[in-house]
Amino acid sequence: MRNFKFELAELLSDKITGLSQDEIVAMIEVPTNTAMGDYAFPCFKLAKELRKAPPIIAKELAQSIGQIEFITEVQSVNAYVNFFLDKKLLVKEVLNKVLTEGENYGIASTKDKGNIVIDYSSPNIAKPFHIGHLRSTVIGNSLYRIFEALGHNCIGINHLGDWGTQFGKLIVAYKKYSSKEEIEQKGISELLRIYVLFHDEAKENPEMDQEARDYFTRMEKGDAEALDLWRWFKEVSLNEFERVYNMLGVTFDSYHGEAFYNDKMDASIRELEDKGLIEISEGAKIVRLDDENMAPCLITKKDGSSLYATRDIAAAKYRKENYDFKKCIYVTALQQNLHFAQWFKVIEKLEYDWSKDLVHVPFGMVSMDGGKLSTRSGNVIFLEDILKDAVDKTRSIIEEKNPQLPNKEEVAQKVGIGAVIFDDMYNNIIKDIQFSWERVLNFDGETGPYVQYTHARACSVIKKSGLDLENVPHFSIDYSVISDNATVGIIKELAEFDEVIQAAAANYEPSYIARYAVDLAQAFNKFYHDNPILVEDENIKNSRLAVVIATKYALKNTLYLLGIEAPVQM
Ligand code: ARG
C-alpha cells in the first residue's frame, strides 16, 4: 500500500532545507478536525532558520507546492500547511490492500523475523490461580499473537512455580490432615485448605517448619516418596489450571517450570564464581549490585539452597541456548520489578550481550468492586469463578435481549470471557484496574462486547446481502460512490492497523490494539449509520459491501490479537 504521509514528506524535503525526510514524517500531524485537511505540516520549527514568522513561512510553502498527484488541495492556515488527500485514491489503496490480504489482514504469513520467548501466566503449584495470574495470562497471550503477527516465531513458556519449601509444607500437611481420596475429590481447594491449616498450626509448633524443610531437602536429594507426592500435587494443580486455560483459549509451547532447572543451577553458580562475581555474606552467596544502587542478588541461602533468582538465571541461559531468542519477555506484576532488575544485571555482569534482550513487562493490580464477586469455592481458582460469572451474566443478557439467538451457550462463552479479557487490556497495562461488572459487560461502552457486536453486525449485513461469509468474492468497486466523510473515516482507521500492531509490539502494550478495536468499531458504526448498504443500486451496494467486508476482517483480527473470539452472530 502506498504510504501517502511518507510520499508527502519526500516531496516536502525538496522544498525545505535543513530537515530530512524522516524528520518531516515525524512532524506531519493528522488533524482531528477533517476540515483542516488530512495532513498538516507545522512551520514553527523553521522560523529560526528562515528568520520569518511561521504563518508567512506556511503561506510561502503552500504557494511553492505545485500539483501533487494524490493531493487535491493545499491550504495555509496560520502556521500550518494543510493537505487534502485525494479520497478516491485513498479508499482504493486501502480497500485493495485489505481485501487482498483478506482473512490475514495485518497478520504475517511467514515467521522469518526470529524467535521471541514469552514467559507468562506462570502460576504457583498448590496455590490459587489468582486475578494477577489472569492478567499475566491474557497479556502474555496477546503479546504472543502480536509478535507472531509481525512475523516472529514465539515460544510461550509457562514458568510454573513448582519448586520450593512450600512443597515440604504441603507434604507434612498432607500426612497430617488429608488423604488421597480427599485430594482426588477436591483438588486444589483441598491442597489450599491443608496449606492454610499448616500455617496456622506451625505458628504454635515451629518444629513443623523444620519438618517441612527436612522434606524439601529430601526432595532436593531425590527422595522417591517425597518426589512422588510432589509430582502428584503438581498434576492435580495443573489439571485445574488447564480448565482455566481452556476457557481462555490459551496454550503454551512449554511447561518447563522452576523445578526443571534443578540440575542446571550448579553450572550457573559455578560460572558466577569463576567470573569473580560471588561474594559470601553470612554464609549466603550473593552478587553485589551496589554500583547499580540495588540490593544484592541472592544466589544461594546459608543452607546452600537456591532461590527464585537462581532459577531465573539458569532458565534464561537455557532459553538462550535452546531458542536463540531475539527477545525474552517476562510478564508479571509490577511488584516483581526489583527481582527482574537484579538478575538482568547479573546476566549483564556475566557479559552476555543478550542481557539487553531480556524484557520485563510489568502490570498493575486488579481490585474488585463492592465485594460483589463472591467466590463459590472459597477463594480457590478465584479466576474460574469470575469467568463463569461473566458467562452466566452474558447468558442472561442474551436471554433478555435476543432469546431467539442460535448457539446461545457458545456465544455466551465467547462474549462473557472476551469481555473480561478485553477489560484487562483496555488501559495501559501498568495501571491498576478497579474491576466492575457494569463496565465489563456494557454492550455500548468501550468494551469487548461492543467490538464483538460490531463485528457480528458486519457479518450479518454480509450474510443478508446473500454473500457467503466464508468465501467472499472480489467484485468491482466504484470508488466515486464511497468517498463521503464517514467512509473515509473508517478507511483511514483501516489503514492504521499495521502501524498500531507495530506500536503495540514496540511498547509491549496490547492496550493499543484494544483502543484501536474500539476506534475501528466506532468508525464503522458511523459509516453504517450514514450509508445504507443493501440498496437497490448494485454499484453502490457492492462498493459499500466491500467496506463492510474489509472492516469485518480487521475487527476479527484485532480481537484475535487480544485473544478474543469473534462470533458471527450475537
Ligand atoms: N510464579 C511467579 C508468581 O506467581 C511468576 C513467575 C514469572 N516468571 C519468571 N520467570 N520469574 O509470582
Side-chain angles (χ1 to χ4, degrees), residues 273-522:
E273 286 172 332
D274 290 348
K275 294 191 177 167
L277 294 171
I278 292 283
E279 200 175 294
I280 308 288
S281 166
E282 297 174 33
K285 290 183 181 171
I286 63 168
V287 175
R288 283 216 176 274
L289 300 169
D290 297 355
D291 293 346
E292 284 77 20
N293 276 325
M294 273 188 264
C297 185
L298 237 66
I299 304 296
T300 61
K301 291 191 209 160
K302 202 160 64 199
D303 62 8
S305 56
S306 63
L307 289 113
Y308 185 38
T310 329
R311 295 188 274 277
D312 261 329
I313 291 168
K317 289 195 58 183
Y318 176 86
R319 291 172 185 179
K320 185 65 197 175
E321 277 156 27
N322 284 273
Y323 304 117
D324 191 25
F325 55 72
K326 283 239 152 95
K327 276 183 202 308
C328 182
I329 298 169
Y330 299 83
V331 186
T332 81
L334 180 66
Q335 282 79 358
Q336 298 198 26
N337 271 1
L338 178 63
H339 164 74
F340 285 100
Q342 286 175 315
W343 77 258
F344 286 1
K345 260 292 170 226
V346 173
I347 299 284
E348 194 184 318
K349 282 180 181 286
L350 284 169
E351 293 181 337
Y352 286 116
D353 61 350
W354 49 267
S355 69
K356 64 173 188 337
D357 305 324
L358 301 170
V359 184
H360 179 218
V361 175
F363 55 80
M365 257 176 10
V366 185
S367 55
M368 297 297 167
D369 59 350
K372 265 181 272 158
L373 277 155
S374 62
T375 56
R376 287 185 285 265
S377 43
N379 239 359
V380 183
I381 314 278
F382 189 31
L383 175 61
E384 192 174 0
D385 289 347
I386 295 176
L387 296 177
K388 281 188 183 151
D389 278 353
V391 175
D392 288 346
K393 284 177 201 283
T394 309
R395 198 182 293 114
S396 39
I397 296 174
I398 295 174
E399 282 304 343
E400 189 193 307
K401 290 193 177 170
N402 190 3
Q404 310 302 337
L405 180 75
N407 311 326
K408 268 188 274 194
E409 188 50 38
E410 196 190 318
V411 176
Q413 296 271 344
K414 290 178 175 172
V415 175
I417 289 168
V420 175
I421 297 178
F422 191 94
D423 189 66
D424 214 280
M425 292 187 283
Y426 188 61
N427 288 304
N428 287 359
I429 58 170
I430 199 75
K431 282 198 187 157
D432 290 344
I433 299 181
Q434 180 85 35
F435 192 91
S436 140
W437 280 122
E438 221 174 291
R439 187 187 62 235
V440 170
L441 292 176
N442 184 349
F443 278 53
D444 301 316
E446 294 164 352
T447 61
Y450 171 70
V451 178
Q452 285 173 318
Y453 185 74
T454 308
H455 170 266
R457 170 178 266 178
C459 291
S460 118
V461 178
I462 300 167
K463 213 170 140 201
K464 268 201 210 125
S465 77
L467 291 178
D468 176 4
L469 267 180
E470 300 298 323
N471 204 355
V472 181
H474 275 251
F475 33 61
S476 65
I477 301 168
D478 178 355
Y479 298 101
S480 67
V481 297
I482 44 174
S483 52
D484 60 289
N485 277 341
T487 309
V488 171
I490 177 69
I491 289 291
K492 280 184 168 178
E493 286 296 342
L494 286 171
E496 294 284 304
F497 196 23
D498 285 344
E499 263 179 59
V500 172
I501 302 174
Q502 273 161 22
N507 294 287
Y508 309 100
E509 269 294 356
S511 66
Y512 290 17
I513 307 283
R515 302 232 156 221
Y516 173 69
V518 169
D519 290 345
L520 199 58
Q522 285 173 346

Side-chain angles (χ1 to χ4, degrees), residues 216-322:
F216 182 57
T217 311
R218 282 171 63 178
M219 278 169 62
E220 294 211 286
K221 292 203 171 121
D223 177 277
E225 188 219 355
L227 284 178
D228 278 347
L229 283 170
W230 164 74
R231 219 168 280 122
W232 179 46
F233 296 149
K234 183 167 159 178
E235 201 182 284
V236 168
S237 301
L238 271 179
N239 280 340
E240 297 198 33
F241 295 159
E242 213 51 55
R243 268 205 325 263
V244 176
Y245 294 139
N246 282 337
M247 288 175 90
L248 291 169
V250 170
T251 55
F252 300 90
D253 301 301
S254 158
Y255 277 87
H256 283 162
E258 296 189 34
F260 178 77
Y261 301 98
N262 279 340
D263 60 356
K264 298 171 181 62
M265 283 182 289
D266 280 349
S268 297
I269 298 168
R270 227 172 306 121
E271 188 185 357
L272 286 165
E273 286 172 332
D274 290 348
K275 294 191 177 167
L277 294 171
I278 292 283
E279 200 175 294
I280 308 288
S281 166
E282 297 174 33
K285 290 183 181 171
I286 63 168
V287 175
R288 283 216 176 274
L289 300 169
D290 297 355
D291 293 346
E292 284 77 20
N293 276 325
M294 273 188 264
C297 185
L298 237 66
I299 304 296
T300 61
K301 291 191 209 160
K302 202 160 64 199
D303 62 8
S305 56
S306 63
L307 289 113
Y308 185 38
T310 329
R311 295 188 274 277
D312 261 329
I313 291 168
K317 289 195 58 183
Y318 176 86
R319 291 172 185 179
K320 185 65 197 175
E321 277 156 27
N322 284 273

Side-chain angles (χ1 to χ4, degrees), residues 205-223:
N205 306 315
E207 69 275 10
M208 282 171 63
D209 278 321
Q210 189 51 48
E211 217 183 313
R213 272 195 295 275
D214 291 345
Y215 257 111
F216 182 57
T217 311
R218 282 171 63 178
M219 278 169 62
E220 294 211 286
K221 292 203 171 121
D223 177 277

Side-chain angles (χ1 to χ4, degrees), residues 5 8-9 12-13 16-31 38-47 57 61 79-83:
K5 188 167 157 184
L8 179 63
L12 286 178
S13 68
I16 302 165
T17 42
L19 286 178
S20 69
Q21 183 181 348
D22 285 346
E23 282 169 314
I24 296 173
V25 168
M27 284 168 72
I28 292 177
E29 297 172 15
V30 176
D38 301 294
Y39 297 121
F41 180 76
C43 297
F44 305 101
K45 258 198 187 166
L46 305 175
I57 302 173
L61 183 60
Y80 286 86
V81 184
N82 297 337
F83 298 88

